[in-house]
Structures are given as C-alpha cells and as structure tokens.
Amino acid sequence: MRPLQYAFASVVIAALILTSLAPTTWSNSVAQAQTADPPGRVGRLNYMSGQVSFAPGGVNEWAAAVLNYPLTTGTALWTDENARAEFHVGSTAVRLDEFTEVDILTLDDQAIQLRVPQETVDIGIRHLDAGERFEIGTPVAAVALTRSGHYRLDVDEAGGSVRIAVRSGQADVSTSRATFSVRTGQTVVVSNNSTSVYEVIPTGTLDEFGQWALAREQQEAQAIQAIAPYVPVTMTGFQDLAYHGTWRRVAGYGYVWYPRVHRGWTPYRHGRWMYVSPWGWTWIDDAPWGFAPFHYGRWALINGYWVWVPGHLPIRPIFAPALVVFVILGGGGIGWFPLAPREIYVPPYRTSPTYYRNINITIINVTIVNVTRVKYVHRHLPKAITVIRPDVFRQSGRVDTSLVAVAQPVLAGASVAAAPPAQATLPSLLGNSGEKPAHKPPVTAQERPVIVNTTPPPPAAPPQLGQQVSGRPAPVRPMPDARRAVTPQPALQPTPRPTPRNDQVPPTPPPAVPPVPQPRPTEPATVVTPGPGPGGVPTPRARPTPQTDQPRPTPQPTLQQPAPQPTSQPTQRPGSRPDDARGRGPGNVKAAPNCDPRSRDYDPAGCPKPTPTATRTKGK
C-alpha cells in the first residue's frame, strides 16, 4: 500500500503546485475560479473571392472580411454578388456561394451551430466525435448533420423553402410537423407553403458552385494525406501547410516546418492585431498559410531561419490568440517576440487551472508562470522583437509598414508582460476596415428567424469601446420541446404515401440496397414517400407526385421487387385469395361473380336476382 500512498500524495502535491502557479491575472475568489474557459476550438476564414464581409460577435457592425480571422460564437459572414468564401473548423469545411449569410450561433468543443437565412452553403465533414453536434438553422427546418459526409443546403431568397442534398452522410431534419432523415444520395425540399412535409426530388448534376466546392474538397483530401504525419487534422488551419513549406526532422525538436519565406522574415511581423472576444488581442497574419503556426506550437531560429515547431500536439490542440510575450517600452512603444519551444504560454485572459495546463500540454514541466522572471530565448534578439506605436496597435494598423526602430539598450531595459497595455477600439474589432462602407446582407435576411433544436448561447460581450455600438442578436425560433423529443423516422418516411405506378419504377433496382423499413402508424401528416431507388430515393423517372386526399396504401415492398400499383381500395396481402369478387385480389384482376346461392362466396352483385325462397348454404 505504501507505493500507492506515495503516488496519491504526489498527485495531490502536483495539483496544489499547479494551482498556486496560476497566472497573475487570476483571482483567488471562488467565483472567478468557476469562470467558463474560452473554447479550445475556433474557425478560420481561409478563402475569399469578391466582396466578403463579416460582423464580430455581439456587434451590429459590418466590415470587409479579413483573411485568417478566427471565427467563434456570434461571428457572421456575408458574400455579395459573385463572391465566395470558405472557412474551416479543424478538418470541417463550410463554403458560401454568392448572396449567402452565415451566422455562427455556437462554436465550442462540443458543437457547431450555424444560421443560414438565405442562399447556399456546401459543408464537408470529415470527422464527428462521439456526442459532437453539427446543426444548421434555416427558416423552415432545423437540420442536424449526424455523420461525416458532404452536404449542401439551398435556402430560397424569401426564406420559404430549403433544399437539402446529402451526397454522403445523414441529415436529420426537424420541422414543426415532422422529423425525418435524409441519407446518402437523397435530396428533399422542405417548404412552408406546401401541403407536404417535404418533397423528394432527383439529385441534379453539380452546378458551377458545386464543382468548385468539390474541387476544394479533393484538394483538402490531398492536404490531409501530406500533413497527417506531422500534426493532427483537428488543428484548424493545417491545410495550407502542405503547399507553403517543407518538413524536416531536427534533433531536439522533432519534425519542424520551414515556411517558404525570405531569409530576413520574422514571425508575427506581417499582419495586424485585432481584438477578438473572448480572448482579447489576437494576431491576424497576412500569409495564406498564416493561421496554425501563430496559434499553436512555437517558433525557433535555426541557422538564421525561422522554423515552426508544433511539438507533441494533442488530438485536439487548444487555440491561443498569439503565442508571444509583449515588451513594454518606456517611450510608449509596444513590442513582442515569439515563444520558443518548451516556453510556457500565459493566457492574458481569465482561465481555469485545467485550461492553463491543457494549453501548455506540449510542455512537460509546467512550473513557471510569472513572465517577468522568465529568461526567454528570444528576449534579447533584435531580429525576434517587433515594435510599433501604440496608436497603430490600437487601430489595427498593418505592422510591417509601421515598424519602429529601437536601440538595443532600450529593449534590454524594457519590461515584459502577458498582455499589451492597450484598450480595444471599434477599428480593432473590425480590422481597421470600418471607415469605408461595407457590403452587408439585406435587412430581411438579417432579421429572418431560423428554426433550431438547441437554443444557442449569447456571444461574448464586446469590450467597452467608449462609443455607442449596437448589439446584433441572431434571430432564432427554438423547436418546441415536444417536437425535439420525437425520434427520427426511417429515412424519408414519416408517414406512408401511395407507391408510384409500375411505369415509374426502374426496371432493375440496385440489388445491394436493403429493404425499405415498413412504415408505422403516425399522425396523418401529408408527405411524400420515396419510391424505389438507391437508399430509398426515387430515380428521376420514379419521382412521386404529391397527393393529399388518397386512402392509406399498403406498406411498400422491398426494393428488390417491383412495387404494386396503387388502387382505390386497400390491397390484399400477396399470396392470399380474394375476399370477394369485386376486384380486390392480387394484381387488381377482377374475377367473375359467383352466382351460386349455395356457395359461401355467393355475391348477388352482377348476378340475376335470386328468388325470395333462395337460401345460402355452407359451401364445400
């Protein structure tokens, strides 16, 4: 028992030491110890063409979008005419066609929830963790993407309908009237102005946007193969590392990444500082690859070249706004330098001890937290330190065009800190692009509510800017609790509908498709049931016509057999004989009437009128 006691005591002592080593910005109060940590996962705006705008979380101000901007709860994007955009969350890609608005309702470690009030998004999900949610709110339905795959949603400009195409994967769709699933190869249209819950339509060929999205998806698959041996694909921004640098193994560091830059290049010098809630001051790099190397890992100077050292990153690394230490000059200048490998990052925002340990998980011995007492590797390297004026910093000005030369003795005597001495401004929230009018969504799209299964949390409150800035709540309409509790029906079959005519059924159904589940009695919601075809979706010839006043048909047979024709009366089960002579037998073949009054199956219909004395006797 003694070894176990020693092990337990060691764990307790280590926990007490790490807790006591919390950053100086933490408070010992219980209330602040329970402060929610910022999310470890963020999105990244990695592609733009045309006029693309964004609005920070909780602020009703639109500005020209900034490449490599970190997206989180509350951020909104808008693509104007002939514009497109793409953002990533780890290996998940969301692509916007023109005239599309996307609001990020929730983005944390467990969920991604988007609001799409109009137009088109293409979504590629390569991996979903157990318990992870991906939901899209539209004006007519809440769409939960439950499996990895490729999806597309088209919301009409008026917000009255949404087309959901599942190229691969599964989408669970919830409306005020039904809950059903859409699976691989299926396309449905959900509309407010229709008597049907949804309509099954053929999956058409890819348009120009679809071809562009598919090409981007294939390019990303190649990037994953090239980068997977070095960093986890859950790290946001890894895709561009495959095309803008090379990997080499260096003794003492493991695999490092050499960016394709000139010899005098220095990290954290070609970009700008923006204030992004809830983290605060965040580095936004100009390079097309400039996301992952500035928010994960460390930088080292080897033989005069800067290399990025990811270290032993966890399965899902935690985002940091900038892995630097700030230099505070007496004359008012603000400088900074990158952290070297094995140096601890001290978050300048409130966090828990668990968050502090996890964000430094690549460091084996997490013992030093007071930045004023650390001997940093790059602290006295003029090539590593970047200095600009405080006003340029606060206004989110470009750094590489605003450099300030500082003598070495002044740098040596300057103090260091985890956070810069600068207050947020509206230009720092908008990337210094708010002075010119920005393209933004129509008011009708901004104010159009969408249906959601889960009510999103409010975005992080913006800082006090010293000027009046209105908030921008995203309008949502939560699904009633009773509706959210409904178990999804089998794919595209919340209630049955008449089967297609024989001339609409494909002559040779695919042999590998499993039988269509038998429908169960439900409320009489009028919907369209899919006919034979891959996964239950009718082929273009088998598209059913929505009907409203038809009697309940027999359950649809398996896809390996031709479907029977619909009749005006309930169909007898195959293999049984007719109940009578009125045409209700198999195949709707009308039999001749039985005119023998002694027969048990005697039926006077179509027979000469019997005499009054005739009686029915038991048949053979």
Side-chain angles (χ1 to χ4, degrees):
M1 295 295 294
R2 181 168 296 178
L4 293 177
Q5 293 175 352
Y6 287 157
F8 178 76
S10 300
V11 172
V12 172
I13 294 173
L16 292 175
I17 292 175
L18 288 174
T19 303
S20 64
L21 291 175
T24 56
T25 56
W26 292 351
S27 171
N28 292 329
S29 66
V30 176
Q32 290 185 356
Q34 295 177 347
T35 299
D37 292 327
R41 184 171 64 162
V42 300
R44 172 214 178 192
L45 181 60
N46 61 284
Y47 176 88
M48 298 184 299
S49 67
Q51 297 290 339
V52 180
S53 306
F54 87 109
V59 177
N60 193 21
E61 296 285 344
W62 291 84
V66 181
L67 187 70
N68 291 323
Y69 183 83
L71 309 176
T72 188
T73 299
T75 313
L77 293 174
W78 165 255
T79 52
D80 212 78
E81 184 178 8
N82 296 324
R84 287 175 183 166
E86 178 185 84
F87 69 88
H88 279 97
V89 181
S91 60
T92 295
V94 180
R95 303 175 179 94
L96 289 68
D97 199 4
E98 62 177 351
F99 298 123
T100 301
E101 178 185 354
V102 171
D103 294 65
I104 300 178
L105 301 178
T106 305
L107 204 172
D108 55 28
D109 299 335
Q110 294 80 34
I112 300 176
Q113 188 180 36
L114 307 179
R115 171 181 175 267
V116 182
Q118 74 170 44
E119 290 307 329
T120 306
V121 293
D122 180 280
I123 301 172
I125 302 176
R126 297 192 174 273
H127 179 73
L128 278 178
D129 290 332
E132 183 179 351
R133 297 184 297 106
F134 197 118
E135 180 184 337
I136 306 168
T138 73
V140 297
V143 183
L145 309 183
T146 60
R147 298 179 185 176
S148 58
H150 203 151
Y151 308 85
R152 172 166 169 166
L153 280 77
D154 293 85
V155 182
D156 70 353
E157 186 176 355
S161 66
V162 56
R163 182 177 63 185
I164 305 164
V166 179
R167 200 167 74 191
S168 61
Q170 176 175 317
D172 292 342
V173 184
S174 300
T175 72
S176 58
R177 294 182 287 172
T179 297
F180 57 95
S181 297
V182 188
R183 297 177 182 170
T184 299
Q186 300 175 336
T187 301
V188 299
V189 174
V190 184
S191 178
N192 270 337
N193 55 8
S194 175
T195 57
S196 300
V197 174
Y198 61 84
E199 179 186 5
V200 180
I201 65 173
T203 300
T205 58
L206 294 177
D207 58 7
E208 183 183 358
F209 173 72
Q211 294 174 357
W212 172 82
L214 180 60
R216 299 282 299 181
E217 194 76 8
Q218 294 171 346
Q219 182 182 12
E220 183 170 329
Q222 297 174 359
I224 289 178
Q225 293 180 354
I227 209 71
Y230 310 107
V231 295
V233 296
T234 54
M235 180 180 65
T236 299
F238 73 89
Q239 291 84 353
D240 292 302
L241 300 178
Y243 305 105
H244 297 278
T246 57
W247 291 90
R248 299 179 187 174
R249 189 174 183 85
V250 177
Y253 296 121
Y255 281 102
V256 302
W257 184 72
Y258 282 78
R260 295 193 183 98
V261 293
H262 57 84
R263 189 177 181 88
W265 180 89
T266 299
Y268 296 99
R269 184 169 292 180
H270 301 271
R272 68 186 72 186
W273 290 94
M274 294 180 64
Y275 196 97
V276 181
S277 297
W279 297 277
W281 291 105
T282 303
W283 176 255
I284 310 297
D285 203 82
D286 290 340
W289 49 266
F291 193 88
F294 300 98
H295 302 294
Y296 311 95
R298 305 292 190 269
W299 285 91
L301 192 60
I302 299 178
N303 297 327
Y305 289 93
W306 287 97
V307 298
W308 180 57
V309 185
H312 299 287
L313 293 173
I315 297 299
R316 182 181 285 183
I318 297 178
F319 168 85
L323 293 159
V324 301
V325 175
F326 288 95
V327 179
I328 314 303
L329 301 173
I334 298 178
W336 57 89
F337 57 86
L339 288 172
R342 291 178 288 276
E343 291 181 343
I344 296 174
Y345 170 67
V346 179
Y349 42 90
R350 290 178 179 175
T351 63
S352 68
T354 300
Y355 178 96
Y356 175 74
R357 290 192 297 270
N358 289 340
I359 201 170
N360 287 291
I361 201 166
T362 57
I363 309 301
I364 298 176
N365 188 14
V366 184
T367 57
I368 302 175
V369 295
N370 191 338
V371 298
T372 62
R373 300 178 183 177
V374 180
K375 294 182 179 180
Y376 292 103
V377 172
H378 303 145
R379 170 67 179 84
H380 299 287
L381 292 178
K383 185 176 181 179
I385 301 177
T386 302
V387 181
I388 60 174
R389 300 191 312 272
D391 61 321
V392 176
F393 189 99
R394 289 191 302 267
Q395 299 298 317
S396 191
R398 291 183 58 87
V399 170
D400 55 348
T401 59
S402 307
L403 299 177
V404 174
V406 180
Q408 180 61 27
V410 177
L411 289 177
S415 60
V416 295
Q423 297 296 322
T425 62
L426 185 59
S428 68
L429 265 66
L430 303 178
N432 197 23
S433 57
E435 65 276 1
K436 56 183 179 181
H439 298 257
K440 56 185 178 181
V443 176
T444 54
Q446 296 187 56
E447 298 178 350
R448 182 176 296 143
V450 299
I451 298 176
V452 295
N453 288 320
T454 304
T455 303
Q464 297 295 329
L465 303 178
Q467 63 185 99
Q468 187 66 27
V469 177
S470 60
R472 188 184 52 84
V476 297
R477 186 171 57 197
M479 191 74 68
D481 292 338
R483 195 68 216 116
R484 283 181 297 198
V486 174
T487 302
Q489 301 286 339
L492 297 181
Q493 291 200 116
T495 55
R497 291 289 299 163
T499 55
R501 299 190 308 271
N502 285 342
D503 60 354
Q504 293 178 314
V505 179
T508 307
V513 179
V516 174
Q518 297 293 336
R520 58 185 180 184
T522 58
E523 65 276 10
T526 306
V527 298
V528 174
T529 300
V537 173
T539 59
R541 290 187 300 159
R543 175 178 172 182
T545 302
Q547 302 179 22
T548 57
D549 298 322
Q550 295 293 335
R552 185 178 298 274
T554 184
Q556 185 172 325
T558 63
L559 295 180
Q560 285 76 14
Q561 302 173 357
Q565 292 189 10
T567 65
S568 58
Q569 299 293 337
T571 304
Q572 192 75 9
R573 290 177 299 176
S576 63
R577 66 183 181 87
D579 291 336
D580 54 32
R582 296 179 181 176
R584 295 186 295 183
N588 293 335
V589 178
K590 187 173 182 180
N594 188 347
C595 299
D596 186 358
R598 296 171 300 174
S599 174
R600 181 179 57 183
D601 298 328
Y602 168 72
D603 189 343
C607 297
K609 187 175 182 181
T611 61
T613 59
T615 60
R616 298 183 64 178
T617 60
K618 187 176 181 180
K620 294 180 180 180

Short mmCIF file of all heavy atoms in Angstrom, two decimals, residues 4-27:
data_model
loop_
_atom_site.label_atom_id
_atom_site.label_comp_id
_atom_site.label_asym_id
_atom_site.label_seq_id
_atom_site.Cartn_x
_atom_site.Cartn_y
_atom_site.Cartn_z
N LEU A 4 1.26 3.05 -3.33
CA LEU A 4 0.04 3.73 -3.71
C LEU A 4 -0.15 5.03 -2.95
O LEU A 4 -0.59 6.04 -3.49
CB LEU A 4 -1.17 2.82 -3.50
CG LEU A 4 -1.24 1.58 -4.42
CD1 LEU A 4 -2.44 0.72 -4.05
CD2 LEU A 4 -1.35 2.02 -5.87
N GLN A 5 0.21 5.00 -1.67
CA GLN A 5 0.10 6.23 -0.87
C GLN A 5 1.05 7.30 -1.38
O GLN A 5 0.70 8.48 -1.46
CB GLN A 5 0.39 5.90 0.60
CG GLN A 5 -0.66 4.99 1.24
CD GLN A 5 -0.27 4.59 2.66
OE1 GLN A 5 0.85 4.86 3.10
NE2 GLN A 5 -1.20 3.94 3.36
N TYR A 6 2.28 6.89 -1.74
CA TYR A 6 3.23 7.86 -2.28
C TYR A 6 2.72 8.45 -3.60
O TYR A 6 2.83 9.66 -3.86
CB TYR A 6 4.58 7.20 -2.51
CG TYR A 6 5.35 6.92 -1.23
CD1 TYR A 6 6.33 5.93 -1.20
CD2 TYR A 6 5.09 7.65 -0.07
CE1 TYR A 6 7.04 5.67 -0.03
CE2 TYR A 6 5.79 7.39 1.11
CZ TYR A 6 6.76 6.40 1.13
OH TYR A 6 7.44 6.14 2.27
N ALA A 7 2.14 7.60 -4.46
CA ALA A 7 1.63 8.09 -5.74
C ALA A 7 0.49 9.07 -5.55
O ALA A 7 0.42 10.11 -6.20
CB ALA A 7 1.17 6.90 -6.60
N PHE A 8 -0.41 8.74 -4.61
CA PHE A 8 -1.54 9.64 -4.36
C PHE A 8 -1.05 10.97 -3.80
O PHE A 8 -1.52 12.04 -4.20
CB PHE A 8 -2.51 8.98 -3.38
CG PHE A 8 -3.68 9.84 -3.01
CD1 PHE A 8 -4.72 10.02 -3.91
CD2 PHE A 8 -3.73 10.51 -1.80
CE1 PHE A 8 -5.80 10.82 -3.58
CE2 PHE A 8 -4.79 11.31 -1.47
CZ PHE A 8 -5.84 11.46 -2.37
N ALA A 9 -0.08 10.92 -2.90
CA ALA A 9 0.45 12.16 -2.33
C ALA A 9 1.13 13.01 -3.40
O ALA A 9 1.03 14.24 -3.41
CB ALA A 9 1.43 11.84 -1.20
N SER A 10 1.81 12.35 -4.33
CA SER A 10 2.48 13.09 -5.41
C SER A 10 1.47 13.81 -6.29
O SER A 10 1.68 14.96 -6.69
CB SER A 10 3.32 12.14 -6.25
OG SER A 10 4.31 11.51 -5.45
N VAL A 11 0.36 13.14 -6.61
CA VAL A 11 -0.67 13.78 -7.43
C VAL A 11 -1.26 14.97 -6.72
O VAL A 11 -1.48 16.04 -7.32
CB VAL A 11 -1.77 12.75 -7.79
CG1 VAL A 11 -2.93 13.44 -8.47
CG2 VAL A 11 -1.20 11.65 -8.67
N VAL A 12 -1.53 14.84 -5.43
CA VAL A 12 -2.11 15.95 -4.67
C VAL A 12 -1.15 17.13 -4.62
O VAL A 12 -1.53 18.29 -4.83
CB VAL A 12 -2.49 15.49 -3.26
CG1 VAL A 12 -2.91 16.67 -2.41
CG2 VAL A 12 -3.61 14.46 -3.32
N ILE A 13 0.13 16.85 -4.36
CA ILE A 13 1.11 17.94 -4.29
C ILE A 13 1.26 18.64 -5.64
O ILE A 13 1.31 19.86 -5.74
CB ILE A 13 2.47 17.39 -3.80
CG1 ILE A 13 2.35 16.90 -2.35
CG2 ILE A 13 3.56 18.45 -3.94
CD1 ILE A 13 3.59 16.20 -1.85
N ALA A 14 1.30 17.85 -6.72
CA ALA A 14 1.41 18.45 -8.05
C ALA A 14 0.22 19.34 -8.36
O ALA A 14 0.36 20.43 -8.94
CB ALA A 14 1.54 17.35 -9.11
N ALA A 15 -0.98 18.89 -7.98
CA ALA A 15 -2.17 19.70 -8.24
C ALA A 15 -2.11 21.00 -7.46
O ALA A 15 -2.48 22.07 -7.96
CB ALA A 15 -3.42 18.90 -7.86
N LEU A 16 -1.66 20.93 -6.21
CA LEU A 16 -1.56 22.16 -5.41
C LEU A 16 -0.53 23.12 -5.98
O LEU A 16 -0.74 24.34 -6.01
CB LEU A 16 -1.21 21.80 -3.96
CG LEU A 16 -2.29 21.04 -3.17
CD1 LEU A 16 -1.77 20.64 -1.80
CD2 LEU A 16 -3.54 21.90 -3.02
N ILE A 17 0.58 22.57 -6.47
CA ILE A 17 1.62 23.44 -7.04
C ILE A 17 1.12 24.13 -8.29
O ILE A 17 1.27 25.35 -8.47
CB ILE A 17 2.89 22.62 -7.34
CG1 ILE A 17 3.54 22.16 -6.03
CG2 ILE A 17 3.87 23.43 -8.17
CD1 ILE A 17 4.73 21.25 -6.22
N LEU A 18 0.48 23.37 -9.19
CA LEU A 18 -0.01 23.96 -10.43
C LEU A 18 -1.08 24.99 -10.16
O LEU A 18 -1.16 26.02 -10.83
CB LEU A 18 -0.55 22.86 -11.35
CG LEU A 18 0.53 21.97 -11.98
CD1 LEU A 18 -0.12 20.83 -12.75
CD2 LEU A 18 1.45 22.77 -12.87
N THR A 19 -1.93 24.74 -9.16
CA THR A 19 -2.97 25.71 -8.85
C THR A 19 -2.36 26.98 -8.29
O THR A 19 -2.79 28.10 -8.59
CB THR A 19 -3.96 25.11 -7.84
OG1 THR A 19 -4.50 23.91 -8.40
CG2 THR A 19 -5.08 26.07 -7.52
N SER A 20 -1.32 26.83 -7.46
CA SER A 20 -0.69 28.03 -6.90
C SER A 20 0.10 28.80 -7.93
O SER A 20 0.39 29.98 -7.75
CB SER A 20 0.24 27.62 -5.75
OG SER A 20 1.30 26.80 -6.24
N LEU A 21 0.45 28.15 -9.05
CA LEU A 21 1.23 28.82 -10.09
C LEU A 21 0.36 29.46 -11.14
O LEU A 21 0.79 29.70 -12.25
CB LEU A 21 2.14 27.79 -10.76
CG LEU A 21 3.28 27.25 -9.90
CD1 LEU A 21 4.02 26.15 -10.64
CD2 LEU A 21 4.23 28.35 -9.48
N ALA A 22 -0.88 29.72 -10.81
CA ALA A 22 -1.78 30.33 -11.78
C ALA A 22 -1.29 31.70 -12.17
O ALA A 22 -0.59 32.37 -11.41
CB ALA A 22 -3.18 30.45 -11.18
N PRO A 23 -1.61 32.17 -13.38
CA PRO A 23 -1.15 33.49 -13.82
C PRO A 23 -1.62 34.58 -12.89
O PRO A 23 -2.62 34.46 -12.18
CB PRO A 23 -1.78 33.62 -15.21
CG PRO A 23 -2.02 32.22 -15.66
CD PRO A 23 -2.34 31.47 -14.42
N THR A 24 -0.90 35.70 -12.91
CA THR A 24 -1.20 36.81 -12.02
C THR A 24 -2.53 37.43 -12.32
O THR A 24 -3.07 38.17 -11.50
CB THR A 24 -0.09 37.87 -12.15
OG1 THR A 24 0.00 38.25 -13.53
CG2 THR A 24 1.23 37.32 -11.70
N THR A 25 -3.11 37.18 -13.50
CA THR A 25 -4.40 37.76 -13.84
C THR A 25 -5.55 36.99 -13.20
O THR A 25 -6.67 37.44 -13.24
CB THR A 25 -4.60 37.76 -15.36
OG1 THR A 25 -4.46 36.42 -15.84
CG2 THR A 25 -3.60 38.65 -16.04
N TRP A 26 -5.27 35.83 -12.64
CA TRP A 26 -6.32 35.07 -11.99
C TRP A 26 -6.60 35.64 -10.62
O TRP A 26 -5.76 36.24 -9.96
CB TRP A 26 -5.92 33.60 -11.84
CG TRP A 26 -5.83 32.89 -13.13
CD1 TRP A 26 -6.23 33.34 -14.35
CD2 TRP A 26 -5.28 31.58 -13.34
NE1 TRP A 26 -5.97 32.41 -15.30
CE2 TRP A 26 -5.39 31.32 -14.72
CE3 TRP A 26 -4.71 30.62 -12.51
CZ2 TRP A 26 -4.95 30.14 -15.28
CZ3 TRP A 26 -4.27 29.45 -13.07
CH2 TRP A 26 -4.40 29.21 -14.43
N SER A 27 -7.78 35.40 -10.12
CA SER A 27 -8.15 35.80 -8.78
C SER A 27 -8.33 34.56 -7.94
O SER A 27 -8.63 33.48 -8.43
CB SER A 27 -9.47 36.60 -8.81
OG SER A 27 -9.93 36.81 -7.50
#
